[in-house]
Amino acid sequence: MIIIANWKAYVEDIGKAKELFTVSKKLAKDTGNGIVLAPPAPLLGILAAKNASSVAFGAQDISATTGGAETGEITAQTYAAAGATYAIVGHSERRARGDTDTLVSEKLRHALAHGLTPVLCIGEHSRDTDGRYLSFIREELTTAISPLTPRERGKIVLAYEPLWAIGKTASEAIAADDLAEMTLYIKKVLAEIFSGKSSARIPVLYGGSVEPDNVRALAELAGIDGFLVGHASVDPRLFALLVKQLA
Ligand code: PGA
């Protein structure tokens, strides 16, 4: 299982960041799960500089630029130089601040060009009874990865994160059987995009109120390869409880 801890802007000091890093190193060792920490950029720089563990680091977002006169932008190359090996791209909280499908696609390319594994986030805003959310997912996924070469496409990780399930509690997250259905659908769309070749190797993660109370059911029933965890990843006790259930 891959567990990506999206710290968002919840963690703002180095003491807390170090505590979470220490817990994560032990969890990765004890459970054999792949843990990727996505701290705010300056904290990533500090932690990743001294990293000799199996815990990996990921950017929460990367710039769509390639450097130069771009005040405030942090490029894929900078993240790679700081020790990141993953980059979350197209998170709904970035899309809400203006990331379009085209921009998301450019960011995927930049991440790949600098050796970062992009974690492409897709997810519908809400669910309707006539299945329009399925077309939305198909469109979002296809628009983001169609411009990539087959080789590039083979290197991405996908995170299905329905917006209605983000930042809530386990009881309001997606039900395991609904996630199982969506996972199958996403794999079918991927197989179409890849014309059947090698799409099975693309890991599909789930994110949206993953907590110790629902993680096991989702992992057992839904056919997914891991989780993108937000609020439960910044509480060391909750995060440990959650990851241990995936051992
Ligand atoms: P959440 O966030 O676990 O707090 O719902 C997940 C995410 O937005 O990646």
Side-chain angles (χ1 to χ4, degrees):
M1 284 267 160
I2 308 173
I3 300 141
I4 305 182
N6 179 9
W7 291 0
K8 307 193 179 189
Y10 290 125
V11 181
E12 298 174 280
D13 69 275
I14 191 63
K16 175 85 184 279
K18 282 185 174 159
E19 182 190 4
L20 287 165
F21 183 29
T22 304
V23 168
S24 301
K25 282 190 275 196
K26 184 161 169 21
L27 286 169
K29 204 160 157 253
D30 295 351
T31 66
N33 287 306
I35 297 184
V36 180
L37 301 180
L43 300 177
L44 182 151
I46 297 169
L47 299 181
K50 291 187 191 143
N51 185 21
S53 73
S54 65
V55 170
F57 285 90
Q60 293 181 8
D61 182 35
I62 52 168
S63 174
T65 71
T66 51
E70 302 282 358
T71 304
E73 294 294 315
I74 309 176
T75 61
Q77 187 166 358
T78 312
Y79 273 109
T85 49
Y86 287 79
I88 299 172
V89 172
H91 190 281
S92 57
E93 285 153 18
R94 297 314 314 169
R95 291 184 193 257
R97 290 182 177 268
D99 276 21
T100 58
D101 285 339
T102 316
L103 211 60
V104 167
S105 195
E106 274 170 39
K107 289 183 176 188
L108 290 178
R109 274 234 142 97
H110 289 316
L112 289 163
H114 294 285
L116 302 177
T117 300
V119 181
L120 168 64
C121 299
I122 56 167
E124 77 278 6
H125 293 252
S126 58
R127 289 211 164 184
D128 54 285
T129 45
D130 27 283
R132 279 196 303 273
Y133 67 95
L134 292 172
S135 328
F136 179 87
I137 290 296
R138 171 185 291 274
E139 177 74 22
E140 204 173 39
L141 181 53
T142 310
T143 321
I145 69 176
S146 291
L148 305 179
T149 65
R151 211 177 126 78
E152 287 174 326
R153 284 178 203 156
K155 291 183 181 161
I156 67 165
V157 170
L158 205 66
Y160 168 60
E161 295 212 305
L163 274 64
W164 52 267
I166 294 179
K168 306 258 175 69
T169 60
S171 59
E172 296 161 287
I174 197 164
D177 48 353
D178 288 341
L179 182 57
E181 192 182 74
M182 181 54 98
T183 310
L184 273 180
Y185 180 73
I186 289 172
K187 289 190 172 165
K188 178 172 155 274
V189 176
L190 281 174
E192 284 168 21
I193 298 171
F194 281 72
S195 324
K197 288 182 229 119
S198 69
S199 65
R201 289 206 299 270
I202 305 291
V204 180
L205 316 184
Y206 167 74
S209 299
V210 179
E211 294 186 343
D213 284 351
N214 60 352
V215 72
R216 196 198 292 261
L218 294 174
E220 280 172 359
L221 288 178
I224 44 151
D225 304 298
F227 297 98
L228 182 46
V229 186
H231 64 271
S233 75
V234 294
D235 177 323
R237 194 187 60 86
L238 277 187
F239 191 53
L241 272 176
L242 190 157
V243 176
K244 280 181 188 161
Q245 295 194 57
L246 301 172

